[in-house]
Amino acid sequence: MPESKLTQRQKIIFKTIVEEFTRVAEPVGSKTLMQLLDFPVSSATIRNEMAVLEKAGLLEKTHTSSGRIPSQKGYRFYVEHLMETHLDVSTRNSLQQVFRERHYSLDEVVEKSCDILSHMTNLTSIVLGPDARHQALQHIQVIPINSKNAVAIFVTNQGHTENKMFQFEQDVSVEDIKNCTDLLNDQLVGTSICDVVDKMREIEPMMAAKLVRHEVLFEAFVTAFMRFATEKVAVSGRDNMLGQPEFSDINRLKELMKVLDNGRLFHQWTDQADNVAVQIGTRNELIQIGDCSVVTTKFHYNNEEEGQLMVVGPNRMQYSKVVALMDYMSNVIEDVFGNGKGGKDGE
């Protein structure tokens, strides 16, 4: 039977099975369902309906129980057609407060978002900041704090701004900092972020000729640009996987951790041709990889740049909670950067 032909009762039974299984990680049987459903129905009728749902490919029978669990197809059907997302007011207010306590830098927003997601979902979260590697440098400004500290501000041709704190090992004069900044603006503007470090090495003799502390300044800027050209990835809550029964096999867990800790491997993992991606609304997407699920949500820092929130866990994750949390967090982050309407009731 196609899923579109399911009766309302079958949909309610299926939805109840999904939500109970994601909560307890145990197959759901007819006796349990009798207690959970808010309408009277016999155990025999429930078993018949479960058999229909199994034939439709939405449920699977386990070897250890007479109960059923959702299949991968079932989870996809649930998130596309049956899932209801809701975030309570206290959680929404807490998220607003966290990001409005002070002005966060881009790196801080990425890390903070990651920590919040892993804590509130009890799963592993990944946050990707905007990729500025293929943008070009437009302007550099350095603000001296004292002889050993300064703040550097980099701006790209797409309006991306990064702040870097410099801590010099030796005293550097204000004049040296100004001359260095003028030289770099003259020589590096228009250079791709990926190529800035190579260009820095080309102009090092010019720096040596014009600056007293050229070695210190050269090292500071090269380090900053290398970090700038690295994709911003934050991973939080790796240990949360230890508590998931699906990952009780230590070897499988080690393989998953290896993927999560390597941005290149992670992209290969999620981009596999046989993965099935399901669009959830206009902003979210579900990718299933074996018995793992990755829920992704995009958000914008400005008109040109976007980042991505991701939660990784077993297929048996609480999708309604995860999607609601990620969607609202995206709104709040966009609101912080002045690009969205996050944080308003009803959003």
Side-chain angles (χ1 to χ4, degrees), residues 54-290:
E54 185 177 355
K55 189 173 181 180
L58 301 179
L59 294 180
E60 296 175 346
K61 187 183 294 183
T62 67
H63 299 295
T64 58
S65 167
S66 61
R68 305 295 197 278
I69 64 173
S71 64
Q72 281 199 346
K73 179 181 178 182
Y75 285 120
R76 294 196 294 273
F77 179 73
Y78 171 78
V79 299
E80 282 187 285
H81 303 290
L82 303 177
M83 180 178 67
E84 299 173 10
T85 60
H86 173 72
L87 208 59
D88 61 86
V89 174
S90 62
T91 300
R92 286 187 285 168
N93 290 341
S94 297
L95 288 174
Q96 288 179 333
Q97 189 62 34
V98 165
F99 286 102
R100 287 176 177 170
E101 284 178 352
R102 64 186 181 87
H103 177 71
Y104 283 98
S105 70
L106 194 56
D107 289 343
E108 288 172 326
V109 166
V110 168
E111 292 176 7
K112 194 75 175 176
S113 302
C114 208
D115 289 341
I116 291 172
L117 267 179
S118 64
H119 175 72
M120 298 188 79
T121 62
N122 201 33
L123 297 169
T124 300
S125 65
I126 300 170
V127 179
L128 299 181
D131 188 354
R133 292 174 296 175
H134 304 296
Q135 300 180 32
L137 187 65
Q138 180 171 298
H139 182 70
I140 300 170
Q141 181 180 1
V142 182
I143 304 170
I145 298 174
N146 53 46
S147 61
K148 289 191 175 181
N149 294 277
V151 175
I153 302 170
F154 305 126
V155 182
T156 73
N157 61 328
Q158 292 185 21
H160 180 85
T161 302
E162 293 253 352
N163 301 334
K164 300 295 180 186
M165 186 71 180
F166 286 172
Q167 294 179 316
F168 306 122
E169 294 183 0
Q170 303 176 40
D171 289 350
V172 178
S173 68
V174 173
E175 183 181 6
D176 243 10
I177 290 175
K178 181 183 182 303
N179 290 337
C180 180
T181 305
D182 290 345
L183 175 62
L184 296 182
N185 274 315
D186 182 60
Q187 297 294 320
L188 299 182
V189 169
T191 304
S192 167
I193 298 300
C194 289
D195 299 328
V196 166
V197 173
D198 289 338
K199 188 70 179 288
M200 284 276 298
R201 294 194 173 101
E202 291 178 13
I203 66 172
E204 186 177 8
M206 296 174 63
M207 295 179 67
K210 294 188 176 184
L211 307 173
V212 176
R213 298 292 191 194
H214 87 274
E215 301 99 332
V216 176
L217 288 164
F218 177 82
E219 185 64 31
F221 276 99
V222 165
T223 301
F225 281 124
M226 288 177 69
R227 288 187 62 194
F228 196 179
T230 301
E231 187 175 27
K232 292 163 182 60
V233 182
V235 181
S236 185
R238 296 174 183 83
D239 293 348
N240 289 337
M241 289 301 191
L242 296 172
Q244 306 294 339
E246 290 85 350
F247 301 104
S248 56
D249 183 333
I250 191 65
N251 290 323
R252 289 183 64 249
L253 185 62
K254 285 180 179 178
E255 287 299 313
L256 180 59
M257 291 302 104
K258 186 187 298 183
V259 170
L260 296 179
D261 285 333
N262 186 310
R264 181 178 56 82
L265 289 177
F266 182 79
H267 282 301
Q268 290 177 356
W269 187 57
T270 54
D271 289 342
Q272 291 174 32
D274 57 348
N275 292 338
V276 178
V278 175
Q279 195 70 30
I280 311 171
T282 58
R283 169 177 258 168
N284 309 289
E285 188 177 67
L286 165 67
I287 304 170
Q288 290 179 310
I289 309 164

Side-chain angles (χ1 to χ4, degrees), residues 303-346:
N303 292 333
E304 302 290 339
E305 296 180 296
E306 67 178 21
Q308 201 167 15
L309 305 177
M310 288 175 276
V311 168
V312 181
N315 287 333
R316 181 195 49 80
M317 71 167 70
Q318 290 183 291
Y319 293 102
S320 58
K321 177 181 178 181
V322 170
V323 171
L325 179 61
M326 294 174 69
D327 206 30
Y328 195 74
M329 279 190 66
S330 298
N331 283 340
V332 173
I333 292 171
E334 289 183 348
D335 194 31
V336 168
F337 283 88
N339 297 290
K341 300 178 181 178
K344 294 185 179 180
D345 289 344

